[in-house]
């Protein structure tokens, strides 16, 4: 019985840093699980396209695929765009869509890793307010998830944690920074809850101008790679069960 191919589905961007970061993350995933074939497809702007990868896999004789959205929340792309693309896949492919990456305790660990790499230490937590800055969404479920992550993260010892959004929702990063200043936090840090550089992460960075610390995007951190594999393993079990039935 063959192991399903893991197809990582990224949004794509005109910014070349986006695809470079996605590929770096996929390389880390491959290094963690050399027994799993990992391919990458993009919804827009970059190649190969998701449809192109699926057609190539079918031509090779692959039958089982786990399609994993490289997304942090279940917003429009996870609910509509990706299912629509997968619905047009070659009919001989058995495809299961994995869950999006967030929320996950590992992602909180990745956020803290980036903050510490930017200069904070664990001893700074109680006096530091953090802006959890995401891309934003018009989907109320996605917004609620970000707010809940901020509440959960606050309980790990930070002075305060406030969500912020680069688009579609409020507050913006700069507004959340000022709110934390007003609360009396000794320092303010901005933690981008985004996977790769691009237009909206750049907007987050501009909004962090008055913060003391700006962390890097999550990128190819080991924690993110581990979440990908957790989602893959959870999705592939029903695929294998169906094959063996």
């Amino acid at each position: 019985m063959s192991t399903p191919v893991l197809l990582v589905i990224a949004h794509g961007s005109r910014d070349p840093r986006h695809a470079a970061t996605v590929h770096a993350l996929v390389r880390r995933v491959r290094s963690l699980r050399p027994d799993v074939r990992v391919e990458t497809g993009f919804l827009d702007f970059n190649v190969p396209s998701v449809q192109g990868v699926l057609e190539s896999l079918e031509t090779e004789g692959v039958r089982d695929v786990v399609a994993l959205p490289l997304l942090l929340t279940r917003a429009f792309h996870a609910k509509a765009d990706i299912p629509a693309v997968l619905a047009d896949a070659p009919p001989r492919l058995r495809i299961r869509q994995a869950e999006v990456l967030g929320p996950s305790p590992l992602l909180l660990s990745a956020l803290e890793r980036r903050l510490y790499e930017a200069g904070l230490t664990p001893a700074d937590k109680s006096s530091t307010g953090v802006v959890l800055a995401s891309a934003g969404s018009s989907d109320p479920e996605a917004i609620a998830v970000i707010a809940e992550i901020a509440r959960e993260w606050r309980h790990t010892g930070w002075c305060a944690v406030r969500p912020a959004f680069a688009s579609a929702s409020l507050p913006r990063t700069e507004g959340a920074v000022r709110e934390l200043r007003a609360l009396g936090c000794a320092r303010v840090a901005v933690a981008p809850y985004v996977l790769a550089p691009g237009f909206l992460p750049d907007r987050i960075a501009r909004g962090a101008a008055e913060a003391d610390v700006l962390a890097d995007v999550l990128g190819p951190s080991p924690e993110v790679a581990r979440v990908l594999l957790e989602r893959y393993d959870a999705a592939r079990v029903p695929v294998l069960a169906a094959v063996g039935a």
Side-chain angles (χ1 to χ4, degrees), residues 41-215:
F42 295 90
L43 291 173
D44 207 353
F45 302 116
N46 302 104
V47 292
S49 67
V50 175
Q51 189 67 24
V53 175
L54 291 172
E55 290 172 358
S56 294
L57 291 174
E58 192 270 343
T59 299
E60 290 180 35
V62 171
R63 290 295 172 262
D64 296 300
V65 177
V66 170
L68 194 153
L70 197 60
L71 300 168
L72 295 171
T73 59
R74 273 184 49 77
F76 181 79
H77 294 303
K79 294 178 179 179
D81 283 355
I82 292 175
V85 171
L86 298 180
D88 288 335
R92 284 187 288 181
L93 289 177
R94 290 183 291 254
I95 303 174
R96 186 171 183 87
Q97 183 176 329
E99 291 294 333
V100 297
L101 303 184
S104 167
L106 284 170
L107 294 178
L108 288 181
S109 297
L111 286 166
E112 295 206 358
R113 170 193 290 275
R114 293 302 189 222
L115 285 170
Y116 296 150
E117 289 171 349
L120 292 179
T121 70
D124 296 324
K125 290 184 75 168
S126 63
S127 58
T128 301
V130 179
V131 178
L132 179 68
S134 74
S137 172
S138 58
D139 188 310
E141 177 188 349
I143 297 304
V145 166
I146 299 299
E148 179 57 32
I149 292 170
R151 285 192 292 270
E152 179 183 339
W153 202 15
R154 162 69 181 85
H155 294 312
T156 66
W158 296 100
C159 174
V161 180
R162 293 290 185 272
F165 308 95
S167 67
S169 304
L170 295 174
R172 295 286 183 260
T173 301
E174 52 268 35
V177 169
R178 294 180 190 126
E179 181 184 352
L180 291 171
R181 290 271 188 231
L183 282 175
C185 297
R187 67 185 63 78
V188 176
V190 174
Y193 189 60
V194 292
L195 288 166
F199 176 75
L200 293 178
D202 284 350
R203 181 180 288 177
I204 289 172
R206 290 193 298 272
E210 297 179 14
D212 301 295
V213 173
L214 171 62

